[in-house]
């Protein structure tokens, strides 16, 4: 198998995760360079340990390198559109962390550039690669639960991000629920038509003061006629809580959380199992690896990526409708 | 303990269930009479086997009997208001199957009559007496999950009633979801302020043609600021599916379904547990018994019944708001 | 259905349980009398509340009563053989609590008397009537796990009986494990050929000083070639622990414990379910009822009882072999 | 961190697993060479892809290489003793797959050589590194279940090895149960004093004809006074079944199997979860990685390995006693 050369823009937490996945799980991949404006000695040492040849402060060192075939964009959201467009024009295949942007028009413009360039594009909806969610999607697609009637997604973070982040993130629906909007499309294979969002700040009143919610229930009508409901919280004290149920004419499929071990202790106090894995990187580490494997496979074999341009756009459109509903207090159509 | 004398109006399925509970589980109770317009030889034989002294076709034989201290009203819904009022005026304590009526004004009028009479009144929300739901209520009331943030109720019947019943039942929200509205009040200890209901007929299009829905998701804002969501289906092919989760600042409490046994078979095909108990009488038999025990206890000890007049009214008011929302396509305030 | 008349000898805990089961769950049964040498006012009042006509101190009032068709023997073990023989000679059908006796010869003699009399006999192995164990027996009998290879029984009491009881009970194998020996025969449909018992007193050294064990593991070879293993403890601090697994060529069937509710609480401390039902009467109440139902049915329909004379004898023979093994430190054949 | 140089003897399945673990999970490790008498083009290509510099047919190329600091012995059992001794004499640290040998004297001789050489030694009991078994060991060591009373290990393979392997493996107790003997020592922290083994061939009669058993129950008395029981089968049709329970004065800790996903499907047929992971490499992949990490850590930090020379010897001694018991039909002391 021919060696495949990639470059990474952004050496933060998620950039490192992808570099490590490529190193460990994808054969014949060479990470030629990594760029980050905050490049420092520690990062350089880490890059060397990963076998990465160059570490620079300038993302253009990645995009302009003629040897680099694919670019992983792991920089802050506000840079995504520009970097995607530049990379596409330079003929690089692109993997980009979600979302492309929080502005629908900018996303559409970027999509157009990518489509014209003909490069492969994959958006980083990592949960699509999780063993639990895949089981559900596969069972649903195989018709095992019949026609879909009700879809329930529970998605709760172990603890809220800092207020500073909340102020710039675009709000919970954009930075967190967006994964659930994607999951709904992924498992149902159907599009969302209307959204009604109820939200409030019960976890931390400062979140409310910052203009955001930390607790929400979102009802969604799908084109398939199924009804979906997402419940979100910024803080589940028992850990990262990510579950789904799809209920239909032939039955129901449901997933629980992954646990550190299957151990159960029975004592005079009760029968106690372990709490769910606490941190999203623990919970989804295998998903991050498979995401990279499937991206590189899609590029190598010239097939569709498992999460393409439409998949990048739709969840943001749904999130916008959810935000509009939160403000209007009424159900809102999703504008496509 | 002094013997306590009751009479039963209505000898259908639920009337019999209560007669048997009284016989088996409540000491020193004498069921003096039962009345049903469709009284026949089979019913008379059953009444004798239960030790019931008189079996008549006229409900007034029960209400007018000076020895009878309490009346169980198990006749069709349209008779409830009148029978309650007559019984109250006759000074009988009253247990009545839900709902009192589907008309709010009539319920209020009936409540007034009962309040003026000073008799005890209990409405038949049997799920309040179920071991699983009680655990949840008790844990929530004890503060074990902290402040309530999200409440999720799944309530699905094993199969839809006949179309004829659906045409006269007042619709799914009145005949089925009413239990969930009550459960929400019961576990949360809070009142519902606003309701948004999405519903459709996916189980059977005839249900839609009859003007009802068979699949619904209902979002409710509580006075406590918690958000609740109920999902309903008229048909869960795997059995009667009744679950709840209350999620709050200190964690979550969740219940599953009761199973015929704990047996699990592991074979080359998979690891298979038993399906939930299929029929509501199986599922809630112990709850029906405890309901009778607590009703008789309340009368005997002159304490509040565990489900009184307000508990009879509120769920119908919520159901009305849910129906209004289904028609308007918008959230609706509950009118109290 | 013709009324059926029974009498009860012994008005202790288990005598009362059977009286209540007959009253609640078996139609057309009249409990004419109950006899207990310790009959007192409290017991007499209870008897009246159960509708029992006579309460005496002399068991012969039961056995000699010509109206009584069946006798329930719920007196101490040392009286069982004599009472069974007298009752059989008087032509009464017999239900007797386990064991008939702790002396094999005496059991055999009693069996002979019963066989000659032609009356029905049922021994009180209540666990045969438990929903979980029945599921296992039925699945095994239906061939769902194929040929049986390994049978595991876990049987642990919540707390040890008093030392006084232990000194006269015949030891743990006779008073407690005997249920497991019966269960093994019940689910396997095969006889035990050889037993190897390891036991010690880890719960309470006084139990060891009294000549008994409180912790044991017993390996059994069955005629079917399957291997069984029973583990026992006198004290599981988390409750009454009664589980079984049958493993075979097509898979495995396994049961867990019954819980007070299905509620699970997830908190920062862990994910906690309820402890198993603590007390054997709670755990097996439904089994005690079904036991009575099936006894009366067998008598009424002149069919075999579900636990007959051989079922009464075999577990004692196995227990004797287990005791012999404990003493010899070697496997011992079961002597039939 | 200084680069650490290792060599691998044996390029079969398990040799490859370790090479991959070193590459992926251990920083600054260089696998300089691998040797296997069946070295071929495919293996050479794989070695290159792993970054292994030399691939030879002669194990001495590894042992004699002055740059190599540690040797992984992944060749057939009959070579282990000789290779260990040669490696120890050459001053190499040693990781060796279990067992060292099936002959106790040879193991002791080998241990002596290793001890005199002063090199680090780790035996490949991979299950010690599994998340489930570690939870149990940690909880037990932390005193969470109090004093140990009963330990139950279920260990069943998904399907038997070929008859040819069985003929030379030393039998089920040596090739399979040896892991359970080690696990018992690992979780209990106590030594086995006496063993009683019952075994037969129910899975495949040819296994019996080859002089081995495929189904066994083994009772073990520990120095701690706890009683342990292991049940084994060569064939669990539902997958690889590896569970443990430690029961003690303060309660019980129990583990289940790892599943491919948490998905549960409820349908008209039943409620079905996934089968346990089928293949030992899937089930224990993370354990194999951690095993390598901890070996290299022990060498680098000059600490004790987590499974040393005594750990290599004891399980073989227990297996010998089990075999002796199987032949004698009586319990046998373990000879240390």
């Amino acid at each position: 198998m021919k060696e495949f050369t990639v470059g990474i823009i952004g050496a933060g937490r998620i950039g490192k995760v992808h570099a490590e996945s490529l190193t460990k799980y994808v054969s014949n991949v060479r990470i030629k360079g990594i760029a980050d404006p905050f490049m420092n000695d520690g990062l350089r040492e880490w890059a060397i340990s990963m076998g990465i040849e160059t570490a620079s402060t300038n993302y253009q060192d990645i995009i302009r390198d003629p040897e680099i075939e694919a670019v992983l964009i792991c920089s802050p959201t506000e840079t995504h559109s520009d970097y995607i467009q530049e990379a596409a024009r330079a003929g690089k295949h692109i993997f980009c962390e979600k979302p492309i942007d929080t502005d629908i028009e900018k996303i559409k413009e970027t999509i157009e550039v990518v489509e014209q360039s003909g490069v492969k594009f994959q958006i980083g909806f990592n949960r699509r690669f999780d063993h639990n969610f895949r089981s559900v999607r596969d069972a649903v697609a195989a018709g095992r639960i019949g026609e879909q009637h009700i879809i329930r997604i529970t998605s709760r973070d172990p603890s809220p991000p800092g207020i500073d982040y909340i102020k710039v993130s675009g709000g919970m629906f954009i930075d967190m629920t967006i994964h659930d909007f994607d999951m709904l499309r992924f498992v149902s294979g159907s599009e969302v038509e209307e959204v009604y969002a109820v939200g409030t700040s019960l976890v931390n009143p400062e979140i409310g003061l910052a203009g955001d919610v930390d607790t929400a229930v979102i009802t969604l009508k799908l084109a398939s006629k199924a009804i979906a409901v997402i419940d979100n919280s910024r803080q589940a004290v028992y850990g990262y809580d990510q579950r789904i149920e799809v209920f239909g004419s032939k039955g129901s499929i449901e997933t629980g959380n992954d646990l550190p071990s299957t151990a159960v202790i029975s004592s005079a106090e009760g029968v106690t199992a372990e709490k769910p894995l606490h941190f999203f990187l623990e919970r989804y580490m295998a998903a991050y690896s498979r995401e990279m494997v499937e991206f590189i496979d899609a590029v190598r074999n010239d097939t569709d990526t498992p999460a393409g341009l439409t998949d990048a756009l739709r969840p943001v459109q749904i999130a916008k409708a959810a935000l509009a509903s939160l403000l209007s207090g009424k159900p809102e159509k999703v504008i496509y």
Side-chain angles (χ1 to χ4, degrees), chain A residues 11-262:
Chain A
R13 190 164 59 184
I14 198 67
K16 282 176 170 170
V17 164
H18 292 315
E20 287 171 25
S21 289
L22 287 172
T23 306
K24 288 179 184 172
Y25 299 104
V26 191
S27 304
N28 293 313
V29 162
R30 169 195 180 202
I31 308 176
K32 192 178 173 197
I34 190 159
D36 194 298
F38 300 101
M39 186 58 59
N40 60 24
D41 284 356
L43 278 176
R44 272 196 194 88
E45 205 167 306
W46 165 83
I48 289 163
S49 81
M50 284 284 118
I52 301 174
E53 296 163 37
T54 67
S56 84
T57 55
N58 188 349
Y59 76 94
Q60 294 191 323
D61 294 343
I62 303 299
I63 287 175
R64 290 178 186 169
D65 188 320
E67 280 191 317
I68 287 175
E69 294 164 89
V71 173
L72 313 190
I73 300 174
C74 310
S75 48
T77 299
E78 61 270 23
T79 66
H80 288 181
S81 271
D82 290 348
Y83 291 1
I84 291 170
Q85 293 187 32
E86 285 191 53
R89 289 194 179 104
K92 309 302 188 201
H93 301 295
I94 298 159
F95 174 92
C96 182
E97 279 304 314
K98 59 92 206 165
I100 290 183
D101 204 287
T102 58
D103 181 88
I104 300 286
E105 286 318 302
K106 212 157 175 196
I107 300 174
K108 287 186 173 172
E109 179 199 302
T110 301
I111 286 178
E112 213 173 326
V113 172
V114 176
E115 279 178 340
Q116 281 168 3
S117 74
V119 300
K120 298 281 174 196
F121 177 89
Q122 185 170 322
I123 188 81
F125 281 124
N126 57 296
R127 294 184 199 171
R128 289 184 171 221
F129 304 87
D130 173 68
H131 60 147
N132 293 324
F133 292 119
R134 279 250 164 138
S135 293
V136 172
R137 203 273 311 255
D138 292 351
V140 169
R144 294 195 58 189
I145 61 118
E147 276 176 37
Q148 300 168 46
H149 292 180
I150 297 170
I151 302 171
R152 296 197 317 167
I153 295 177
T154 287
S155 175
R156 302 172 189 154
D157 271 5
S159 50
I163 296 294
D164 288 349
Y165 174 79
I166 281 171
K167 283 178 180 160
V168 302
S169 80
M172 188 173 76
F173 295 162
I174 288 285
D175 81 60
M176 176 177 150
T177 321
I178 198 167
H179 279 290
D180 309 311
F181 296 138
D182 179 62
M183 187 48 57
L184 186 54
R185 295 182 68 248
F186 179 63
V187 300
S188 72
S190 181
E191 294 295 351
V192 174
E193 295 190 335
E194 195 177 291
V195 181
Y196 174 65
V198 175
T200 179
S201 62
L202 298 173
V203 170
N204 184 352
E206 282 187 61
I207 292 174
L209 294 175
D212 200 5
V213 296
D214 53 35
T215 303
V217 169
I218 305 153
T219 307
L220 309 101
K221 293 184 183 174
L222 301 192
S224 69
K225 301 301 173 207
I227 308 170
V229 61
I230 296 166
D231 73 90
N232 286 146
S233 171
R234 286 283 199 188
Q235 182 171 289
V237 294
Y238 49 83
Y240 199 46
D241 189 0
Q242 303 281 322
R243 291 173 286 158
I244 191 168
E245 181 187 12
V246 184
F247 169 82
S249 57
K250 291 186 182 168
S252 166
I253 180 163
E254 218 177 346
T255 58
N257 288 303
D258 285 345
L259 310 181
S261 87
T262 60

Side-chain angles (χ1 to χ4, degrees), chain A residues 275-291:
Chain A
K275 289 185 290 179
L277 292 170
H278 198 80
F279 188 46
F280 76 93
L281 283 181
E282 283 176 284
R283 171 69 178 82
Y284 290 120
M285 191 46 87
Y288 281 114
S289 302
R290 204 179 308 173
E291 179 179 59

